[in-house]
Amino acid sequence: MSDDRSFVAEAATSILQDHSTPETVRRVEHRGWNEELWSVLAESGFTTISVPETAGGSGGDIADACVVIKAVGQFAAAVPVVETALLAGWALAAAGLELPIGPATTGVGQSADTTELRKTAQGWRLSGRLHRVPWAHQAERLVLIVPVDGVDHVVSVRAPELEILPGRNLAGETRDTVVFDDVPAEAVAPAPPGVSVEALRLRGALGRAVATAGALARVADLTVQYTAAREQFGRPLARFQAVQRHIVRIAERTQAAGMAADTAALNADPDPDFFDVAAAKIIAGESGSTAAAAAHQAHGAIGMTKEYELGQLTRRLWTWRDEFGSESYWSRLLGQQVVMDGASELWPRLSTGRVPHGSTRSQA
Amino acid sequence: MRFDTTVLSPAELDLRAAVREFLAAELPEDRIPALGMAAEHDPAFSRKLAAAGWVGMAIPPEYGGRGRSAVDRFIVTEELLSAGAPIGAHFVADRQTAPTLLSFGTEEQRKYFLPRISAGECWFSLGMSEPDAGSDLASVRTSAKRVDGGWSINGTKVWTSGAHLNHYFAVLCRTSPANGDRHAGLSQLIVDLGSPGVKVSPIPYLNGTHSFNEVLLDDVFVPDDMVLGEVGSGWAQVTSELAYERSGPDRFLSTFNLLRYFIAEHGAEYVDDAAARVVGTLSAHFWTIRQLSLAVARALDEGRAPAVEAALVKDLGTRFEQRVIELMRTVAETEVGPGEGSIFQRLLAEAILTGPTFTLRGGTTEVLRSIAARGLTR
Ligand SMILES: Cc1cc2nc3c(=O)[nH]c(=O)nc-3n(C[C@H](O)[C@H](O)[C@H](O)COP(=O)(O)OP(=O)(O)OC[C@H]3O[C@@H](n4cnc5c(N)ncnc54)[C@H](O)[C@@H]3O)c2cc1C
């Protein structure tokens, strides 16, 4: 890790350690997010990390943002860093639009979403309905990519003025339905090349994969600690071979998800790569399922209580699997791509792991 | 526990390109690729590979090797395995025997064996398992008695892969009674498989081939200069030997060519959503596990001792190799028989028949997990 990046990691971790303790996570869950943590992260510039300073962000690259996101996952923090920095902030900056002060979010491209952007005498007007928008309730701006006459436009709307039907994910984080009926768009600009709904989804998937890797690391630690401390039949649970199996399985999945997510993040320079992110999201999702099951099994009933930390993490593992495309979604796309590229390209691509900074993608 | 992402250097990428070019030239297009390390014995191929500098890479130049890094070795090995190359003759000697000789062998042994191994001309089997000693290797009963000028060895080794083809095997045996400490009194002797008193008989392998053997040792004379390492240190030697060689590309690439030939034979138009999902899932895993395995090689080069990491990668990798078979089966929807049909179908048949081996050889899944668990819960 570069020195700058280790500094970011340390600083973000120390903030999260103070402001996203298991008690805090439990206390703020009914509100759907951790507002106080958000202000502290924002003061330190972590909420617009990777958005260029010239555009009003705090600079850095995607890999820098990902170390913050990993820590967010590790501490089960309910804050829209992925949405504000990696998604909305990126799209606004790319289109030359102003960044809001405060959280921002985007539509994530659900199949049932509808949006229509029209130019009228009074300016741009937007109608439609978006589903499971992360943190719409908390966002200052909702950023959308909407086609007008076949050309994608980046649209910024003041979120507090929209009709929001509240929803939650399995971890209690807000995932709302947003309804607009001929509302004014605050700013509209043509989307530059590469700024598309697919690109948002890829970035969102990277964000969830990275956060999952963070949460898994904590699940692994927690399970090792708990099974060492808890005794049954006169010895620590960790001494039983069957329990060790769970511990090892969690460790394997944690390391696999970490490796895949880190590689995808480090290679995302300047933009995430499709293969990397698809692979990372698949591995993160599967790892989340396997590790959550093993961790609950190893913990017994205590893990099933709302008091205990494990559930804050496993509920995120479960819910993040499906956000921005499930394993099933990404494996289908990835498989189609791999098949299209053909058998002779398979090994060269699989053997291209982390690539040097600024190099072309394929090492083959 | 630590796994760092790794960037291959320009020199490493050049090495890879050179190996790819070599393999493209050497291996006929229409051959049936091997499933990993269970590959054909092809002495000519091993010699050519050695001439190119890609056998004995971990052996220092003073012993006829190439003195290359673990990552360089990793790169060559993964290219060979992904191509399904016929590495059967030299692979074990190169992977396992050479490092043991380097760590524990006498100067004379190194001078004698290492240049031959590096040339791809000296092949070894492993003489660890016995009828009553599998995972519990310390319970071996094969024993050696002191005789004039050396040792006389008696006992039975089983599952000895390639003993009918190779020149030597390193035999773990008891050289003095256990006396309470079962790990004491064990030694490794290098036995010439052509010695009088050595009887090699095939044990038919599940796929119908002759792969492993029973090796009877009946008063076989082993001269003093063929004792590998210290008399009585056999246990420490075999356990250290196993530790780091566990997580190489041979632990996740055994079934790679199933996926490759599935794609080759089922063009894009025949791959439906379900099959695409399987291809995507498997690609994601190959890509990830490879990087974990590469991280272990890099850690070795940096002077770390990633024993727990290696055990984890082997467990993940070998179970994944088996999962590839099952997932390919579900999407291929085909009936297969040994040696029948297309390359993919032959590979699938072979993989089904030999797949259980992946999580047995080189330390079973269960035993690896207890090693890993000990490291994790320490
Ligand atoms: C194709 C093939 C090639 C081989 N080639 C060689 C070779 O060249 N040279 C050589 O020396 N050996 C070779 N082997 C042998 C291999 O190393 C052994 O199969 C392996 O060490 C397991 O020993 P075992 O088969 O006796 O099983 P066992 O040790 O009897 O184990 C049976 C089952 O019990 C489990 N078990 C055992 N002990 C424990 C424990 N403490 N905790 C939990 N579970 C346990 C095992 O994991 C396994 O699931 C080969 C094996 C195969 C399949």
Side-chain angles (χ1 to χ4, degrees):
Chain A
M1 216 186 284
S2 70
D3 286 350
D4 279 357
R5 203 167 290 142
S6 334
F7 172 77
V8 170
E10 263 171 48
T13 302
S14 114
I15 291 173
L16 284 152
Q17 218 154 27
D18 292 346
H19 298 276
S20 191
T21 61
E23 296 70 44
T24 321
V25 174
R26 193 159 54 240
R27 188 161 45 74
V28 302
E29 187 173 320
H30 73 278
R31 281 191 253 145
W33 82 313
N34 187 338
E35 189 169 2
E36 179 207 325
L37 168 65
W38 177 262
S39 349
V40 182
L41 287 171
E43 270 163 39
S44 313
F46 290 140
T47 55
T48 54
I49 188 164
S50 79
V51 179
E53 281 167 288
T54 50
S58 43
D61 53 22
I62 291 186
D64 295 325
C66 285
V67 301
V68 178
I69 294 164
K70 202 171 193 177
V72 164
Q74 188 184 339
F75 290 92
V79 280
V81 175
V82 171
E83 290 74 7
T84 304
L86 276 193
L87 305 180
W90 166 74
L92 290 173
L97 301 178
E98 203 187 329
L99 227 60
I101 298 168
T105 189
T106 60
V108 295
Q110 301 280 352
S111 53
D113 286 358
T114 54
T115 43
E116 195 201 348
L117 184 64
R118 283 182 302 117
K119 190 155 199 174
T120 68
Q122 299 91 340
W124 293 97
R125 316 284 295 187
L126 195 67
S127 298
R129 189 183 185 95
L130 300 177
H131 302 83
R132 300 205 67 76
V133 177
W135 322 101
H137 202 79
Q138 284 79 25
E140 290 290 328
R141 292 289 184 287
L142 175 63
V143 176
L144 299 174
I145 294 176
V146 188
V148 184
D149 298 331
V151 179
D152 273 346
H153 283 66
V154 177
V155 185
S156 173
V157 195
R158 291 176 176 283
E161 291 163 15
L162 304 173
E163 185 187 345
I164 290 175
L165 313 174
R168 296 292 180 99
N169 69 12
L170 297 172
E173 299 172 334
T174 49
R175 298 293 184 263
D176 307 313
T177 299
V178 182
V179 183
F180 4 72
D181 188 10
D182 203 35
V183 299
E186 183 198 34
V188 177
V195 177
S196 61
V197 174
E198 289 72 36
L200 280 177
R201 176 166 279 241
L202 198 65
R203 286 170 164 259
L206 173 62
R208 292 295 186 265
V210 169
T212 296
L216 280 166
R218 181 67 190 138
V219 167
D221 282 350
L222 207 55
T223 309
V224 166
Q225 286 162 15
Y226 181 77
T227 55
R230 162 110 175 144
E231 295 197 1
Q232 288 290 286
F233 301 100
R235 52 182 171 143
L237 294 178
R239 296 272 187 77
F240 295 101
Q241 202 169 42
V243 175
Q244 291 177 352
R245 208 190 136 151
H246 299 311
I247 295 170
V248 172
R249 178 165 278 192
I250 296 166
E252 289 173 350
R253 295 311 184 128
T254 301
Q255 297 302 329
M259 178 59 82
D262 287 352
T263 305
L266 289 162
N267 284 350
D269 176 31
D271 292 306
D273 174 69
F274 166 77
F275 184 104
D276 290 352
V277 173
K281 187 69 166 68
I282 295 164
I283 298 294
E286 271 188 22
S287 299
S289 309
T290 307
H296 276 293
Q297 193 63 28
H299 273 86
I302 185 100
M304 298 308 293
T305 63
K306 226 154 171 189
E307 289 297 296
Y308 186 70
E309 184 182 350
L310 181 66
Q312 300 174 355
L313 297 154
T314 52
R315 285 185 295 139
R316 284 176 168 78
L317 294 178
W318 287 322
T319 213
W320 289 342
R321 291 181 300 194
D322 295 327
E323 295 185 355
F324 296 100
S326 63
E327 301 93 281
S328 174
Y329 171 86
W330 285 109
S331 60
R332 181 166 50 79
L333 293 197
L334 183 62
Q336 284 164 348
Q337 182 70 49
V338 165
V339 169
M340 209 124 76
D341 293 343
S344 59
E345 284 309 304
L346 179 63
W347 177 245
R349 186 58 189 91
L350 297 181
S351 57
T352 301
R354 187 174 154 199
V355 295
H357 201 68
S359 87
T360 50
R361 194 70 60 188
S362 173
Q363 289 189 4
Chain B
M1 200 177 9
R2 186 170 149 195
F3 287 96
D4 296 335
T5 58
T6 284
V7 175
L8 295 184
S9 71
E12 288 163 348
L13 293 174
D14 288 347
L15 168 64
R16 166 147 99 187
V19 182
R20 284 186 186 169
E21 204 175 306
F22 171 89
L23 291 173
E26 284 301 321
L27 301 176
E29 272 289 322
D30 56 350
R31 91 216 130 83
I32 315 259
L35 291 178
M37 61 184 279
E40 204 185 316
H41 238 253
D42 182 344
F45 180 82
S46 293
R47 270 196 297 274
K48 272 193 200 155
L49 194 69
W54 299 326
V55 181
M57 294 179 75
I59 299 173
E62 68 232 68
Y63 300 116
R66 305 288 173 158
R68 303 291 289 259
S69 65
V71 170
D72 284 347
R73 223 192 136 259
F74 177 98
I75 289 169
V76 171
T77 308
E78 70 170 351
E79 290 305 320
L80 290 167
L81 293 167
S82 65
I87 54 171
H90 71 274
F91 192 75
V92 168
D94 185 32
R95 185 197 69 186
Q96 198 136 339
T97 316
T100 308
L101 282 163
L102 264 178
S103 308
F104 306 110
T106 63
E107 190 57 21
E108 290 69 36
Q109 289 168 348
R110 293 183 200 178
K111 286 217 169 94
Y112 181 81
F113 286 111
L114 295 178
R116 289 171 171 79
I117 292 176
S118 302
E121 285 172 353
C122 178
W123 314 324
F124 271 80
S125 290
L126 303 174
M128 302 206 212
S129 306
E130 295 182 6
D132 292 324
S135 301
D136 183 13
L137 204 50
S139 62
V140 288
R141 290 198 191 144
T142 297
S143 66
K145 271 198 308 282
R146 204 87 190 84
V147 293
D148 200 18
W151 299 82
S152 173
I153 183 167
N154 280 285
T156 304
K157 291 291 172 180
V158 286
W159 324 127
T160 321
S161 302
H164 56 304
L165 299 165
N166 295 335
H167 304 112
Y168 299 94
F169 76 150
V171 174
L172 181 71
C173 62
R174 193 152 276 296
T175 41
S176 59
N179 286 341
D181 178 4
R182 41 203 303 276
H183 297 148
L186 294 170
S187 304
Q188 275 184 298
L189 305 187
I190 299 173
V191 174
D192 185 332
L193 283 159
S195 310
V198 175
K199 189 168 169 246
V200 177
S201 350
I203 305 176
Y205 193 38
L206 205 55
N207 66 355
T209 65
H210 182 183
S211 172
F212 51 27
N213 301 277
E214 178 191 71
V215 184
L216 289 180
L217 300 165
D218 183 12
D219 277 335
V220 176
F221 176 70
V222 180
D224 276 326
D225 59 11
M226 294 286 256
V227 174
L228 177 43
E230 304 268 314
V231 171
S233 305
W235 183 253
Q237 291 172 205
V238 289
T239 44
S240 79
E241 177 180 331
L242 287 173
Y244 306 136
E245 285 303 322
R246 279 201 163 121
S247 64
D250 43 322
R251 304 307 184 184
F252 65 91
L253 283 174
S254 301
T255 48
F256 166 74
N257 276 296
L258 271 186
L259 178 60
R260 188 186 158 163
Y261 280 86
F262 176 78
I263 295 171
E265 292 176 19
H266 303 73
E269 59 276 33
Y270 295 106
V271 172
D272 62 8
D273 282 0
R277 281 194 187 99
V278 165
V279 171
T281 301
L282 296 180
S283 299
H285 281 275
F286 272 121
W287 181 76
T288 304
I289 296 173
R290 172 185 171 274
Q291 294 180 87
L292 292 170
S293 174
L294 175 60
V296 174
R298 191 68 95 198
L300 285 171
D301 284 337
E302 287 168 356
R304 283 185 274 136
V308 179
E309 287 85 347
L312 279 194
V313 172
K314 191 203 165 194
D315 181 33
L316 257 185
T318 52
R319 281 187 301 117
F320 172 66
E321 291 179 326
Q322 292 174 340
R323 191 172 160 210
V324 172
I325 304 171
E326 284 314 303
L327 287 180
M328 287 280 89
R329 245 193 81 238
T330 60
V331 293
E333 292 192 42
T334 175
E335 292 179 34
V336 293
E340 292 175 19
S342 71
I343 294 183
F344 170 76
Q345 287 172 316
R346 283 162 195 247
L347 291 177
L348 181 57
E350 175 73 3
I352 293 169
L353 291 173
T354 60
T357 291
F358 306 153
T359 47
L360 293 172
R361 65 183 176 197
T364 66
T365 299
E366 290 74 11
V367 169
L368 283 171
R369 285 197 182 128
S370 35
I371 294 170
R374 243 177 284 138
L376 287 167
T377 57
R378 192 164 37 212

